[in-house]
Amino acid sequence: MRISDWAHTVHNRNKITGFVTRINGDEVTLQVTEPKGYGSIKIDKKEIIKSSEAIWLDDIPSLIDLSLAIKDQEWFNKWVSELRKWKRVEEVL
């Protein structure tokens, strides 16, 4: 992870998108762009997902629909499996 990388995290139950403005050991400062008006936050490096690697639960139904539209069985199976994992996590919370 480097300064200026786009990243995602969850902070106070909010999905956060922003960019890295500072790295101090294991602490990262993110300038939040979504939701607007959130400012900046400091968060543990382990709680950050680089933007290119992030898939949110809200994204999965669209990816399932896309896999059906392009008739890609392997991709469909991947996203259905991923959705089941997220649902199990939600049950724990």
Side-chain angles (χ1 to χ4, degrees):
M1 179 165 305
R2 299 180 320 210
I3 292 175
S4 81
D5 281 349
W6 284 92
H8 303 281
T9 192
V10 175
H11 185 259
N12 295 332
R13 295 189 166 260
N14 294 307
K15 291 190 319 185
I16 302 293
T17 300
F19 56 92
V20 177
T21 58
R22 185 167 189 226
I23 301 171
N24 185 12
D26 287 336
E27 185 179 76
V28 174
T29 303
L30 276 184
Q31 179 61 46
V32 178
T33 58
E34 286 294 326
K36 295 196 184 315
Y38 210 88
S40 65
I41 60 170
K42 292 180 181 180
I43 194 157
D44 191 285
K45 190 184 279 187
K46 291 179 261 179
E47 295 181 35
I48 302 245
I49 303 169
K50 284 184 66 175
S51 183
S52 61
E53 301 167 354
I55 297 292
W56 297 102
L57 177 59
D58 301 348
D59 299 328
I60 295 175
S62 296
L63 292 166
I64 290 171
D65 290 344
L66 179 59
S67 67
L68 288 170
I70 64 173
K71 297 179 171 72
D72 188 325
Q73 181 72 41
E74 185 178 331
W75 215 35
F76 173 80
N77 291 338
K78 172 186 176 172
W79 294 120
V80 168
S81 174
E82 189 69 25
L83 183 61
R84 286 186 187 125
K85 291 177 195 172
W86 277 90
K87 292 295 183 184
R88 284 194 295 269
V89 169
E90 282 188 329
E91 290 169 3
V92 172
L93 298 175

